[in-house]
Amino acid sequence: MCKLFRYTPCVRRIGLILSLLLVVGYFPARPYLEATAVLRRIENPTDNSLLANYGTHKVSVALLPLNTPSGTVRARIYTPEGVKNPAALVLVHGVHHLGIDEPRMVNFARTLASHGVIVMTPELPRLADYTVDATSEPIIGAAVLELASGLHRQRVGLMGLSFAGGLSLIAATDAQFAPHISYVVAIGPHDDLERVMRFFATDTIAGPDGAILQMPAHEYGPLVVAYSHPEDFFPPEDVAKAHEALRLLLWEHGKDSEAIMRTLSPAGQRLMQAFYQQHREQFDAQMLAHLDGHRAAMRAASPAGKMQRIACPVLLLHGAGDNVIPPTETEWLAREIPPHHLRAVLISPAISHVAIGGPGPTLRDKFALVRWMKELLSQARE
């Protein structure tokens, strides 16, 4: 599931080093110190240390309706107080039922705003319902148009987390929205949705150099696949109830899910038990057949084949050990995006799936993450 940054002691040590450089007058350390402050605040919103508060402003928050081609959705605006001509950014949540209300999402938006960036977070109903498809892209574009228009600006930035990262990249190639997007940031994005979904069924995925990456796929991947199209997995009489049982399981309401499971047919109960016990071998064949039947829809929701049309700076960040969307997806994107638009790329052992805290990162890995965040803040203010 989509998780935002967690903080680690190595980043604290980097902050202390940068603080010393600032004290002795090494002014180029200031952007890095601010980037460290952002990472620290993302991890702990109650951190009141001097470092966590470095360069911050008070933030006001407002909830507003956002008109989109598919209807009205909720959006939040986070505004830094006392900032002249603040930068502006649309931040799009990943696959999570709380959408813009997810506490880590709220903290991330507030943190960016506290460093002088007006942030809009639009709610994408399909992503909040664990469904990745092309219908979310026009909502992302509508948020860009609304924020730019409301601020009387030609362009604003765009950042997407997890699958929203890939969808945001697609929005940046849409002729209706591209002229109003100044840059795109994708954290843990997908390039080819079918390739990622196939990874959920096989634990293997190919990189652009032909090398095969093998790792156990995250258990929630198959749940998302089955939830989006339960008719491809369950007997017709079980589809509605199985859909609800899977929803509750994704929401981590296991007991309620099991109560519904017991009302399914014997075949439906056996399949749900396989999901509960993570016996993927019992439904791998169904997953692969499902992919074959939805190839066109997955292609429409994939940046793959569209990136030559992108015409703005792009920043990519991915966890080296990400087992939801493997880091090979960012490798594909880095190859497909025109080099003159690729501003920064980092595949780091310091993070997992858009979360700080990968296994065994070095101090150099942590500093690379701080440097990437510095590039993001710099790009936002250009």
Side-chain angles (χ1 to χ4, degrees), residues 98-123:
L98 292 179
I100 63 173
D101 296 326
E102 205 280 322
R104 291 161 300 193
M105 179 72 179
V106 171
N107 180 41
F108 191 20
R110 182 181 287 275
T111 296
L112 291 175
S114 74
H115 285 270
V117 182
I118 295 176
V119 179
M120 171 187 276
T121 59
E123 187 148 82

Side-chain angles (χ1 to χ4, degrees), residues 239-296:
V239 167
K241 290 182 178 179
H243 188 256
E244 179 65 8
L246 288 166
R247 181 187 68 82
L248 291 168
L249 188 57
L250 284 164
W251 285 29
E252 300 180 3
H253 296 168
K255 290 185 178 179
D256 294 335
S257 176
E258 289 179 8
I260 293 177
M261 178 272 294
R262 288 190 285 271
T263 69
L264 301 179
S265 69
Q269 290 188 41
R270 285 194 296 271
L271 186 55
M272 277 301 303
Q273 287 289 354
F275 281 111
Y276 293 142
Q277 298 166 13
Q278 300 174 38
H279 289 169
R280 205 188 61 206
E281 70 280 357
Q282 297 184 30
F283 51 82
D284 274 352
Q286 289 165 285
M287 286 185 63
L288 293 172
H290 161 84
L291 298 180
D292 291 338
H294 297 277
R295 187 164 285 127

Side-chain angles (χ1 to χ4, degrees), residues 79 127 129 163 186 217 242 291 299 303 329 336 364:
T79 305
L127 282 186
D129 195 34
F163 288 106
L291 298 180
R299 189 179 302 117
E329 290 300 286
E336 295 167 9
R364 178 178 294 180

Side-chain angles (χ1 to χ4, degrees), residues 158-366:
L158 175 60
M159 179 189 296
L161 306 177
S162 187
F163 288 106
L167 294 170
S168 295
L169 288 166
I170 296 172
T173 68
D174 190 313
Q176 181 182 359
F177 310 129
H180 304 283
I181 297 174
S182 55
Y183 64 92
V184 182
V185 181
I187 301 179
H190 71 288
D191 175 56
D192 187 316
L193 186 57
E194 181 183 357
R195 187 166 54 227
V196 174
M197 297 299 178
R198 199 167 293 277
F199 164 72
F200 292 155
T202 64
D203 293 333
T204 63
I205 192 165
D209 60 357
I212 302 298
L213 175 64
Q214 292 186 313
M215 70 169 75
H218 195 285
E219 63 196 56
Y220 116 107
L223 294 179
V224 170
V225 176
Y227 176 75
S228 62
H229 289 280
E231 69 277 6
D232 290 349
F233 293 81
F234 291 88
E237 65 272 20
D238 289 335
V239 167
K241 290 182 178 179
H243 188 256
E244 179 65 8
L246 288 166
R247 181 187 68 82
L248 291 168
L249 188 57
L250 284 164
W251 285 29
E252 300 180 3
H253 296 168
K255 290 185 178 179
D256 294 335
S257 176
E258 289 179 8
I260 293 177
M261 178 272 294
R262 288 190 285 271
T263 69
L264 301 179
S265 69
Q269 290 188 41
R270 285 194 296 271
L271 186 55
M272 277 301 303
Q273 287 289 354
F275 281 111
Y276 293 142
Q277 298 166 13
Q278 300 174 38
H279 289 169
R280 205 188 61 206
E281 70 280 357
Q282 297 184 30
F283 51 82
D284 274 352
Q286 289 165 285
M287 286 185 63
L288 293 172
H290 161 84
L291 298 180
D292 291 338
H294 297 277
R295 187 164 285 127
M298 289 185 288
R299 189 179 302 117
S302 298
K306 306 177 179 74
M307 291 297 92
Q308 287 300 316
R309 302 200 301 268
I310 208 156
C312 65
V314 177
L315 292 85
L316 303 174
L317 176 64
H318 218 118
D322 190 341
N323 66 344
V324 177
I325 302 175
T328 46
E329 290 300 286
T330 279
E331 293 177 6
W332 280 101
L333 287 167
R335 189 181 77 162
E336 295 167 9
I337 293 169
H340 56 285
H341 290 314
L342 198 56
R343 179 62 59 90
V345 182
L346 179 61
I347 296 175
S348 173
I351 63 173
S352 52
H353 183 58
V354 291
I356 293 178
T362 65
L363 189 60
R364 178 178 294 180
D365 295 327
K366 294 296 182 179

